[in-house]
Amino acid sequence: MSTADGPKIAILGGGIGGLATAAFLRDQGFESEVYEQAAALTEVGAGLVIAPNAARLLRRLGVLDRFVERAVRMEIGWEFRRWENGAVLSAENLEEGCIRLYGEHTYAAHRADLLDALRSAVPVRSIHLGKRCVAVEFEDDRAVLRFEDGETVRPDVLIGADGVHSRVRGAVVGPTHARESGICAYRALVPAEKAPEFARRRAQTLWIGPDHHLVHYPVSGEEYVNLVAFAPAGVDSVESWTATATVRELLDEFAGWDPRLVELIRAAETPGRWALLDREPLDRWNRGNATLLGDAAHPMFPFFAQGAAQAIEDAAALALCLGAAPDAPVRALGRYEELRRPRTARLQEVSHGRSHVNHLPDGPEQRARDRAYAESDPLRTNGWIYAYDPEVALS
């Protein structure tokens, strides 16, 4: 199929999901146009984890080598530690286990480095910056995009990769409601030279305690340590990547925890802070020639570190579905939703459940959890996550 004969595809959102979609579509022979409201392609939010299910797709796309120039390959993963003294509850060797079981490594990275790798697979001419969408409407079953600058776009296929506050989602499924989860998240970067030695190891370390937990791992070529913490939400918490807190506030949340962890927090740059809102899985993703992808379709708590990975999986699956039915894009969107919605709903649910388990107060239930962690093999138990391949699922 020549690109000239393909459908006119518009992607709203130039983040990880949007650029991954454009890249995988190009790999299938489709051209697309990416519309991003920001004036430059940048990513806030600091760190993320790329597990084997996403790494194999980056390799297939031809951008893994570029990504690993700055990504940090994890040697130890899911190292769970007790809040008050850092006692190791469980640890797993990812360096050997991921390759043996799933054929790829696990990496930690700054979001900007993943975005850069994906952008390298998308022609510059396809990315339109400073395009703020003010309305998504439907003329019969065909989506129409209206932009602040007066441009109107009527694509053959519209892909809403416009994030947790998606305008496309509102047009496709109507208003959706989120509940307060009672959990607030903080994120910060710590310059490696200021970080304690234990935090510079190639490990994804989770400290768990009553009502709180904190995760840290090195990113950006090991120049920084990424830190993300979870605590009870205050009344001034908002769902935003740009709201900030102070180091003092973060220290207060973890007062009395292991002194090494307090030292790490003390060295942090200005923390971001946002509320985690609780959203049920959607009943549908599609309307006419429009569909949803990534956080627009399935925002999830970050406790399985699969948000970016699921957006990349979505992108690969959507491109495969369109490639299999280039002359019937609406049917292809239906196959995409059928393929992806059950899997992402399951991940939303298990991520939600982890919020309770990680925050148990000290006592019998907490001790039973700690014993279970010590006896568990999460790398193998979660094979349904890490072994997934959209090509296999579609076959």
Side-chain angles (χ1 to χ4, degrees):
M1 184 199 71
S2 69
T3 56
D5 295 332
K8 178 181 178 182
I9 303 173
I11 301 168
L12 191 63
I16 289 167
L19 289 187
T21 303
F24 279 108
L25 284 170
R26 191 162 189 258
D27 193 53
Q28 288 290 315
F30 296 99
E31 293 292 341
S32 62
E33 306 296 326
V34 180
Y35 299 93
E36 166 57 42
Q37 67 177 353
L41 288 178
T42 57
E43 269 288 358
V44 295
L48 50 73
V49 174
I50 291 295
N53 56 312
R56 75 171 55 90
L57 295 178
L58 296 182
R59 182 184 298 280
R60 192 168 296 161
L61 198 57
V63 301
L64 185 64
D65 287 347
R66 182 171 181 135
F67 173 66
V68 301
E69 289 175 5
R70 295 281 290 168
V72 180
R73 196 167 79 194
M74 293 288 97
E75 297 171 353
I76 303 170
W78 311 305
E79 180 187 69
F80 286 85
R81 289 178 175 259
R82 179 162 167 77
W83 68 276
E84 63 181 350
N85 57 14
V88 177
L89 305 177
S90 71
E92 183 134 10
N93 183 334
L94 287 188
E95 181 73 13
E96 184 270 333
C98 283
I99 289 291
R100 173 172 48 84
L101 292 172
Y102 307 118
E104 295 287 353
H105 290 289
T106 290
Y107 303 89
H110 196 289
R111 299 180 73 90
D113 295 327
L114 175 58
L115 195 74
D116 177 72
L118 293 169
R119 179 172 46 193
S120 71
V122 181
V124 173
R125 67 177 182 275
S126 300
I127 302 172
H128 309 279
L129 302 176
K131 297 292 291 187
R132 182 173 179 269
C133 181
V134 294
V136 179
E137 302 166 351
F138 279 85
E139 296 175 349
D140 296 323
D141 278 336
R142 292 183 61 85
V144 178
L145 294 172
R146 302 191 190 281
F147 293 94
E148 190 175 51
D149 61 8
E151 184 179 4
T152 297
V153 175
R154 290 179 170 83
D156 297 316
V157 176
L158 170 62
I159 300 164
D162 50 338
V164 69
H165 299 294
S166 170
R167 189 175 288 276
V168 179
R169 184 180 63 225
V172 168
V173 302
T176 57
H177 303 287
R179 298 186 303 271
E180 293 182 5
S181 70
I183 301 172
C184 180
Y186 297 81
R187 53 173 169 75
L189 291 171
V190 179
E193 66 272 14
K194 296 181 179 180
E197 187 278 333
F198 81 90
R200 298 197 299 270
R201 296 171 306 134
R202 294 185 167 194
Q204 183 186 349
T205 301
L206 295 89
W207 298 72
I208 55 178
D211 297 322
H212 297 70
H213 82 275
L214 185 147
V215 185
H216 59 76
Y217 45 79
V219 297
S220 302
E222 300 182 89
E223 294 176 9
Y224 290 92
V225 173
N226 182 70
L227 180 157
V228 58
F230 302 90
V235 294
D236 57 347
S237 299
V238 295
E239 189 182 43
S240 168
W241 284 107
T242 56
T244 59
T246 66
V247 172
R248 181 72 261 165
E249 288 173 297
L250 190 51
L251 284 168
D252 288 345
E253 289 290 351
F254 290 87
W257 286 48
D258 187 296
R260 292 171 294 175
L261 189 63
V262 173
E263 180 186 357
L264 177 64
I265 295 171
R266 200 181 303 278
E269 298 176 346
T270 301
R273 177 178 57 194
W274 75 102
L276 296 185
L277 296 185
D278 201 3
R279 289 179 167 83
E280 295 290 336
L282 296 175
D283 293 330
R284 61 186 175 91
W285 293 2
N286 295 349
R287 177 181 173 186
N289 66 334
T291 193
L292 304 173
L293 183 144
D295 282 349
H298 46 73
M300 60 186 66
F301 285 179
F303 303 142
F304 271 75
Q306 277 287 307
Q310 291 308 300
I312 294 169
E313 284 187 9
D314 287 349
L318 178 54
L320 288 167
C321 289
L322 284 167
D327 299 322
V330 173
R331 188 172 78 233
L333 297 187
R335 182 71 180 101
Y336 158 71
E337 179 184 347
E338 179 184 70
L339 189 70
R340 294 296 300 159
R341 192 160 58 84
R343 173 171 169 81
T344 57
R346 183 181 178 188
L347 269 160
Q348 284 177 286
E349 289 161 5
V350 298
S351 298
H352 183 277
R354 184 61 65 86
S355 64
H356 169 72
V357 172
N358 282 351
H359 294 172
L360 291 172
D362 284 350
E365 195 176 1
Q366 163 262 320
R367 289 191 291 272
R369 175 204 63 195
D370 293 353
R371 286 193 298 270
Y373 276 160
E375 297 166 0
S376 68
D377 183 358
L379 194 58
R380 192 179 297 275
T381 302
N382 292 321
W384 67 276
I385 300 176
Y386 307 125
Y388 181 87
D389 188 325
E391 288 188 358
V392 174
L394 192 61
S395 62

